[in-house]
Amino acid sequence: MDHNLRLRQVQAAIAERRLHAFLVSYLPNIRYLCGFTGSAGVLVITARDKVLLTDGRYTEQAKQEVKGAKVKIVKKAALAAAAEWLKKHASLRRVGFESAHMTVAERAQLAKLIGRSASLVAAPPIVEPLRMIKDAEEIASIRAACQLGVQLFSKLTGKLRPGISESAVAGELEFAARQAGVDQMAFPTIIAAGERSALPHGRASSAPIPAEGFVVCDFGVILAGYCSDMTRTVYVGRPQSDARSAYEAVREAQQAALNAVKPGGTAAEVDHAARKLLYNRKLGEFFTHSTGHGLGLEIHEAPKIAAAQKEVLRPGMVITIEPGVYLPGKWGVRIEDTVVVTETGCEILTACPKDLLTL
Amino acid sequence: MDHNLRLRQVQAAIAERRLHAFLVSYLPNIRYLCGFTGSAGVLVITARDKVLLTDGRYTEQAKQEVKGAKVKIVKKAALAAAAEWLKKHASLRRVGFESAHMTVAERAQLAKLIGRSASLVAAPPIVEPLRMIKDAEEIASIRAACQLGVQLFSKLTGKLRPGISESAVAGELEFAARQAGVDQMAFPTIIAAGERSALPHGRASSAPIPAEGFVVCDFGVILAGYCSDMTRTVYVGRPQSDARSAYEAVREAQQAALNAVKPGGTAAEVDHAARKLLYNRKLGEFFTHSTGHGLGLEIHEAPKIAAAQKEVLRPGMVITIEPGVYLPGKWGVRIEDTVVVTETGCEILTACPKDLLTL
């Protein structure tokens, strides 16, 4: 991770916006820029200085983690400490803040503390556009997380059987993840069986896996800070032809979207490719969410892969492609891969069979 | 959970502030008020209406979960849908929003969408003061989560031995939690051994448990939506007298703080009780964080138990009491209980021995 390069890029962006200082208050952005993983802090960036303000809980941790910035341990809340720091540097008149992350109350508090010594400027996302394009090291990290995800999925299918609870299946998966060095799951594991498979965000519950039906398995790990995300839908029992053909439609829609991922194309085009196929199969109205999202340090980051998203895809973007169809009260199917945009198209990082697995 | 009562309390609060409508955008507040657990939505409350706006991913889930409010499934982002809803209700001129949660960018977007049809009013926390006082059902839920935490701790100590990684210990704990019906841990499990115990937020890592030293074990579960939180510090090997006396000091500081928890007392007084004892033992400078925090639907909620916090304690508040001392590069000790404020003092919900356990 070249933290110095990232910080220089932010310095260039703030110079371009004629800001004298920029307050980074969003923790994933702080981590991206200087490596700090604590739960409280503000990173102040000026043309001359890069200072992470955090509290005494993180003295040791900040010393170990922070690269490219000075660490200042403060007694006050980090935002109040940032205001104080700014007041001591009176030449910094135009101070940008992350308007997509700072709350209205925080902004008001900051303005009060700074007083007339500087003016606050609501800055658009400055760090997120950098984070959207992953460097080689980041792609390697996400690849490792995804490969582990694939290994875990094969263990998971060994545990899936009628009668065992969704939660127990999730527990086995998460235990195996821990044993493989995972700090934390990327989001609450979804194991949604039978009728519950029609809930796109159906967290694993105490409901038992039924004797017959789809089971949507959607999970991700965080390995060395980077997320994976994948979904496979399996069938317990023998699927009827309508279930089988819906599965095939989702699979084809997913492939159509994957085919549409290439540099120069837009996020909306990728979404449209999946949606069009499902409309042609009379399943479009049951595809009730967008096609995907970026991921990296966070499970959801830019770009969104959805209708009306004009973001142009570029090599190094890492996104999910995850169409699904959901028939309320009956069943649902979703198939999801994490992919990296390459010079010519995309590479699937969650390489794992997609033929309908029946158990 | 009496969602109707909670919604009526919010309606009373907004009438008092002469607001015609109040937008609840913070998900834990939405859950508290109407039961919805999805990851996207806005709850609009007026004197007449209570409407949850969410998207198609949550059609089924909202139907199952939401109490006391109508559900409207929308195609747009929930905040944009809320703006549209408000424009259709032109008599609602003063619209409050949660200033502690809405970002500056969201507020700007909302203002643009609403145009001149209404004015936005930055409201102080309205739902949080309600959430701070738990009702009997909530206390029962937190009690159940805490009791499970205590059971899990006794399993954990059976797994702790030199050579096993911190992460493997955490994995065993979390697996047992899943088997007991836990949806999710309340925060990344902290198993911090040897020198790492000096990191107050030392998440379980791949580091092995050393042959000798303190191990800080800080973890919580979420059971039926409510959090538990407890910390015990054990010793692997035979503690020297300095380690033993530091442990005893923390234990006494924790007891002093527990003794200070009573209705009518302030959060600052509780913090002071722990801090004073540690200063008297020449350990005050190593107590680098505040004494505790409220918890409930979230692992950190009001009130803060810290210096300068004038919040008066009231029956039904659920808080943690967790002093600690951390000697960088050497070791750390923390002891934490979750307690409920009663009519006369407090009741410990994480009842579990606090004598120094040596393994």
Side-chain angles (χ1 to χ4, degrees), chain A residues 308-341:
Chain A
Q309 291 290 324
K310 289 168 192 154
E311 188 76 48
V312 174
L313 300 178
R314 283 176 288 162
M317 284 181 173
V318 175
I319 57 176
T320 69
I321 300 295
E322 49 176 312
V325 298
Y326 311 92
L327 276 74
K330 296 178 75 179
W331 43 257
V333 173
R334 180 166 65 257
I335 302 174
E336 174 186 31
D337 284 309
T338 296
V339 309
V340 55
V341 182

Side-chain angles (χ1 to χ4, degrees), chain B residues 59-282:
Chain B
T59 309
E60 280 302 291
Q61 186 175 328
K63 204 184 291 177
Q64 291 171 22
E65 291 179 340
V66 174
K67 308 278 178 263
K70 274 189 218 163
V71 174
K72 199 167 144 54
I73 301 297
V74 295
K75 295 252 174 197
K76 300 186 177 190
L79 201 63
E84 201 162 87
W85 190 94
L86 288 167
K87 285 185 96 165
K88 282 190 194 146
H89 295 74
S91 64
L92 306 170
R93 307 275 314 161
R94 275 174 56 83
V95 177
F97 66 91
E98 298 187 283
S99 68
H101 302 295
M102 189 173 288
T103 67
V104 171
E106 285 168 339
R107 190 208 171 283
Q109 187 209 353
L110 187 61
K112 199 174 158 189
L113 291 169
I114 290 178
R116 293 185 182 183
S117 63
S119 64
L120 289 174
V121 179
I126 286 178
V127 188
E128 287 80 352
L130 303 177
R131 285 177 52 192
M132 200 156 59
I133 308 299
K134 273 70 185 174
D135 65 27
E137 207 174 334
E138 290 185 286
I139 292 169
S141 295
I142 300 170
R143 187 189 304 277
C146 288
Q147 285 174 345
L148 176 57
V150 169
Q151 287 170 29
L152 292 170
F153 177 69
S154 66
K155 289 197 185 170
L156 181 150
T157 54
K159 301 289 180 181
L160 261 177
R161 58 180 184 276
I164 187 174
S165 74
E166 293 172 349
S167 182
V169 175
E172 297 276 0
L173 175 82
E174 292 166 2
F175 185 56
R178 267 285 189 200
Q179 288 180 311
V182 164
D183 291 338
Q184 217 186 331
M185 300 306 283
F187 54 89
T189 299
I190 292 173
I191 304 288
E195 282 186 23
R196 291 192 81 255
S197 62
L199 303 172
H201 277 200
R203 286 186 188 185
S205 74
S206 57
I209 307 293
E212 177 91 33
F214 281 118
V215 185
V216 172
C217 308
D218 184 353
F219 63 95
V221 300
I222 306 179
L223 193 64
Y226 281 84
C227 297
S228 75
D229 195 356
M230 69 179 279
T231 307
R232 290 292 182 271
T233 301
V234 302
Y235 200 95
V236 178
R238 288 194 173 193
Q240 301 291 310
S241 66
D242 61 336
R244 195 176 278 279
S245 66
Y247 183 89
E248 288 309 322
V250 172
R251 185 178 168 176
E252 286 172 42
Q254 205 241 0
Q255 189 58 52
L258 289 169
N259 294 345
V261 176
K262 53 185 164 241
T266 68
E269 285 163 12
V270 174
D271 184 80
H272 180 70
R275 213 164 290 279
K276 185 180 161 193
L277 195 137
L278 290 170
Y279 269 105
N280 286 344
R281 300 292 166 86
K282 313 273 185 253

Side-chain angles (χ1 to χ4, degrees), chain A residues 42-57:
Chain A
V42 170
L43 177 63
V44 187
I45 302 175
T46 72
R48 231 186 57 183
D49 291 306
K50 293 151 291 182
V51 185
L52 176 76
L53 304 162
T54 186
D55 65 73
R57 288 174 300 172

Side-chain angles (χ1 to χ4, degrees), chain A:
Chain A
M1 313 289 172
D2 190 345
H3 294 101
N4 285 313
L5 171 66
R6 295 173 184 176
L7 287 160
R8 279 201 306 276
Q9 288 173 319
V10 171
Q11 286 175 316
I14 66 179
E16 210 172 279
R17 285 184 171 75
R18 294 178 300 109
L19 296 172
H20 299 141
F22 182 52
L23 302 184
V24 185
S25 58
Y26 190 53
L27 292 168
N29 287 348
I30 292 175
R31 177 175 190 163
Y32 180 77
L33 294 175
C34 73
F36 180 63
T37 67
S39 71
V42 170
L43 177 63
V44 187
I45 302 175
T46 72
R48 231 186 57 183
D49 291 306
K50 293 151 291 182
V51 185
L52 176 76
L53 304 162
T54 186
D55 65 73
R57 288 174 300 172
Y58 294 109
T59 309
E60 280 301 291
Q61 186 175 329
K63 203 185 289 178
Q64 290 172 20
E65 291 179 342
V66 174
K67 308 275 179 264
K70 274 186 216 164
V71 174
K72 199 165 143 55
I73 302 297
V74 295
K75 295 254 174 194
K76 300 185 177 194
L79 201 64
E84 200 163 89
W85 191 94
L86 288 166
K87 285 184 95 165
K88 282 192 194 145
H89 294 75
S91 64
L92 306 170
R93 307 277 314 163
R94 275 173 55 83
V95 177
F97 65 91
E98 297 187 284
S99 68
H101 301 296
M102 190 173 288
T103 67
V104 171
E106 285 168 339
R107 191 207 171 285
Q109 187 209 353
L110 188 60
K112 198 173 156 191
L113 290 169
I114 289 179
R116 294 185 178 182
S117 63
S119 63
L120 289 174
V121 179
I126 287 179
V127 187
E128 287 81 352
L130 303 177
R131 284 177 52 192
M132 199 156 60
I133 309 298
K134 272 72 182 172
D135 65 28
E137 209 176 332
E138 289 184 288
I139 292 170
S141 295
I142 299 170
R143 186 190 305 278
C146 289
Q147 285 174 346
L148 176 58
V150 170
Q151 288 170 28
L152 292 171
F153 178 68
S154 65
K155 289 196 187 174
L156 180 149
T157 55
K159 303 288 179 181
L160 262 177
R161 59 180 183 275
I164 185 174
S165 75
E166 293 172 348
S167 182
V169 175
E172 297 276 0
L173 175 81
E174 292 167 2
F175 186 56
R178 267 286 190 196
Q179 288 181 309
V182 164
D183 291 337
Q184 215 185 332
M185 301 307 283
F187 54 90
T189 298
I190 292 173
I191 304 287
E195 282 186 22
R196 291 192 83 253
S197 63
L199 303 172
H201 277 201
R203 286 185 187 188
S205 75
S206 57
I209 306 293
E212 178 91 33
F214 281 118
V215 185
V216 173
C217 308
D218 184 354
F219 64 94
V221 299
I222 306 180
L223 193 62
Y226 281 84
C227 297
S228 74
D229 196 357
M230 69 179 280
T231 308
R232 290 292 182 271
T233 301
V234 302
Y235 199 93
V236 178
R238 286 192 173 196
Q240 300 292 311
S241 66
D242 61 337
R244 195 176 279 280
S245 66
Y247 184 90
E248 288 309 322
V250 173
R251 185 178 169 173
E252 287 172 41
Q254 205 240 1
Q255 189 59 50
L258 288 170
N259 294 345
V261 176
K262 51 186 165 239
T266 67
E269 285 163 13
V270 174
D271 184 80
H272 180 70
R275 213 163 291 278
K276 185 180 164 195
L277 195 136
L278 290 171
Y279 269 105
N280 287 344
R281 300 293 166 85
K282 314 272 185 252
L283 290 167
E285 66 178 300
F286 304 111
F287 176 22
T288 48
H289 54 72
S290 57
T291 294
H293 54 86
L295 85 175
L297 286 172
E298 291 180 277
I299 186 63
H300 291 118
E301 38 179 83
K304 284 183 188 162
I305 309 300
Q309 291 290 324
K310 289 168 192 154
E311 188 76 48
V312 174
L313 300 178
R314 283 176 288 162
M317 284 181 173
V318 175
I319 57 176
T320 69
I321 300 295
E322 49 176 312
V325 298
Y326 311 92
L327 276 74
K330 296 178 75 179
W331 43 257
V333 173
R334 180 166 65 257
I335 302 174
E336 174 186 31
D337 284 309
T338 296
V339 309
V340 55
V341 182
T342 61
E343 295 296 334
T344 53
C346 73
E347 179 196 343
I348 295 176
L349 299 179
T350 46
C352 172
K354 284 180 262 191
D355 289 334
L356 178 56
L357 186 64
T358 58
L359 298 172

